[in-house]
Amino acid sequence: MIVTTDQLFKIAYGRYAVGAYNINNLEQATGLFRGNIESQAPFIIQISRGARKYTDKRFLEAIIRAAEDVFPEAIFAVHLDHGTEEACYDCIDSGFYSSVMIDASHESFEDNIAITKRVVERAHARGVSVEAELGMLGGVEEDIVGSVCLTKPEEAEEFVAQSGCDSLAVAIGTSHGAYKFTAEPGKKMGLHFDVIEDIQKRLPGYPMVMHGSSSVPKDEVDRINAAGGKMKDTSGVPEEDFLPAARMGVCKVNIDTDGRLVWTRVHREFFRDQPEKFDLRDPGKVYMAEYAKMIAHKNEKLGSAGQLDDVRAKLG
Ligand code: G3H
Ligand code: 13P
Ligand code: ZN
């Protein structure tokens, strides 16, 4: 069942975070649904502009519609990740998306508000909710380091009041991709809980979103490298930080990179160990099972595992 992102946030707020997972193809979608059913968790499917362009957005949307039939027990929202204004309007008008993210964080504070406000007006008229971003995630803008990129809590309060956005992606020390915390190589920066806490005090009950939440597990990187990969030493967001952040109002935790690492490890190991094989379904089966396992594990750490009955009861 597709629900609104707001419905999931209201139920989860302060207790656990909902996993927001990026998907690009059928195998990922199947693993995603299996992992969430197995762990009895509500979830958010994220589609990036790159994912929409990879083949054709209609394929991806059709896969999700089919998955809703194949997995009738699933409760989830469909979300556009890192949208431009144009992509947001396309998704809002399609009637398929529960929510869109307008990412105008690279614009000035005033322009970010103006753009977000336009998207909010059009989205709300169609019952779609809007995630906006304030602050700059490290690693995205490599030349901006340290606290200058972090979201300023007083600005967050003003931004939400003026733009009317329904949730806010906050810059709290994370970055996208496998190489996080690049400002200080080798040194784990960790999350800025002080920023999250301050925003929660100013905006009680308001849902925050954490981007760049992959943990880039060392054993995964080691296995990829042992099977011929060439990844550099790296680390991500400790999974133990998910629940404390959720208790401070982080309702949505975005994970993409860790799923890509599972794909890379599965395929490298598969062809290393079985070089005679050439049926794409063979590694595909392993990948779907391993991705489902990763999703179930993340949901345990986010606290969303086991919440499905409660969500269903509260949705009425
Ligand atoms: O934040 C970006 C997401 O990981 C999506 O990545 O644009 O390569 O699909 P993508
Ligand atoms: P990761 O690169 O840490 O998985 O973050 C994904 C993300 O924030 C998608 O919006
Ligand atoms: Zn992101």
Side-chain angles (χ1 to χ4, degrees), residues 20 22 46 81-82 101 137 175-178 180 210-216 237 252 254-259:
N22 290 71
Q46 304 209 111
D81 191 27
H82 291 283
M101 176 191 188
L137 300 191
S175 61
H176 290 103
K180 300 184 188 296
M210 182 160 81
H211 282 247
S213 313
S214 281
S215 60
V216 199
V237 176
K252 174 171 176 274
N254 288 10
I255 297 170
D256 184 2
T257 298
D258 282 352

Side-chain angles (χ1 to χ4, degrees), residues 7-52:
Q7 284 174 304
L8 295 182
F9 288 168
K10 280 199 183 80
I11 295 169
Y13 188 89
R15 298 193 297 134
Y16 60 90
V18 181
Y21 302 103
N22 290 71
I23 63 157
N24 296 271
N25 67 11
L26 175 63
E27 286 79 4
Q28 261 186 320
T30 307
L32 177 67
F33 277 82
R34 284 184 189 163
N36 282 300
I37 297 298
E38 216 173 277
S39 57
Q40 291 287 289
F43 61 104
I44 297 169
I45 295 181
Q46 304 209 111
I47 307 181
S48 72
R49 280 179 293 136
R52 280 159 61 83

Side-chain angles (χ1 to χ4, degrees), residues 2-6 76-79 95-100 127-130:
I2 299 181
V3 296
T4 71
T5 313
D6 279 0
F76 62 100
V78 182
H79 176 80
F96 182 59
Y97 289 72
S98 319
S99 51
V100 293
V128 174
S129 55
V130 178

Side-chain angles (χ1 to χ4, degrees), residues 46-181:
Q46 304 209 111
I47 307 181
S48 72
R49 280 179 293 136
R52 280 159 61 83
K53 271 192 272 180
Y54 174 50
T55 51
D56 185 301
K57 63 189 176 191
R58 287 168 294 184
F59 284 135
L60 213 42
E61 292 169 1
I63 286 171
I64 297 168
R65 287 182 215 273
E68 199 184 0
D69 283 344
V70 176
F71 302 93
E73 214 189 323
I75 297 179
F76 62 100
V78 182
H79 176 80
L80 168 70
D81 191 27
H82 291 283
T84 56
E85 206 172 342
E86 192 193 358
C88 284
Y89 295 152
D90 191 51
C91 292
I92 292 165
D93 294 344
S94 78
F96 182 59
Y97 289 72
S98 319
S99 51
V100 293
M101 176 191 188
I102 171 66
D103 183 356
S105 57
H106 47 280
E107 304 284 353
S108 68
F109 183 67
E110 291 73 23
D111 288 351
N112 191 356
I113 290 177
I115 296 165
T116 302
K117 207 170 163 193
R118 283 201 294 272
V119 174
V120 166
E121 273 160 22
R122 190 135 152 198
H124 285 184
R126 298 287 303 257
V128 174
S129 55
V130 178
E131 174 185 326
E133 179 170 328
L134 184 64
M136 207 80 84
L137 300 191
V140 174
E141 299 284 326
E142 295 291 344
D143 52 334
I144 301 174
V145 293
S147 59
V148 290
C149 343
L150 300 181
T151 304
K152 294 188 181 72
E154 64 281 11
E155 285 191 356
E157 198 178 353
E158 193 188 336
F159 185 90
V160 168
Q162 289 201 32
S163 70
C165 62
D166 305 285
S167 61
L168 189 66
V170 289
I172 48 177
T174 63
S175 61
H176 290 103
Y179 302 107
K180 300 184 188 296
F181 311 123

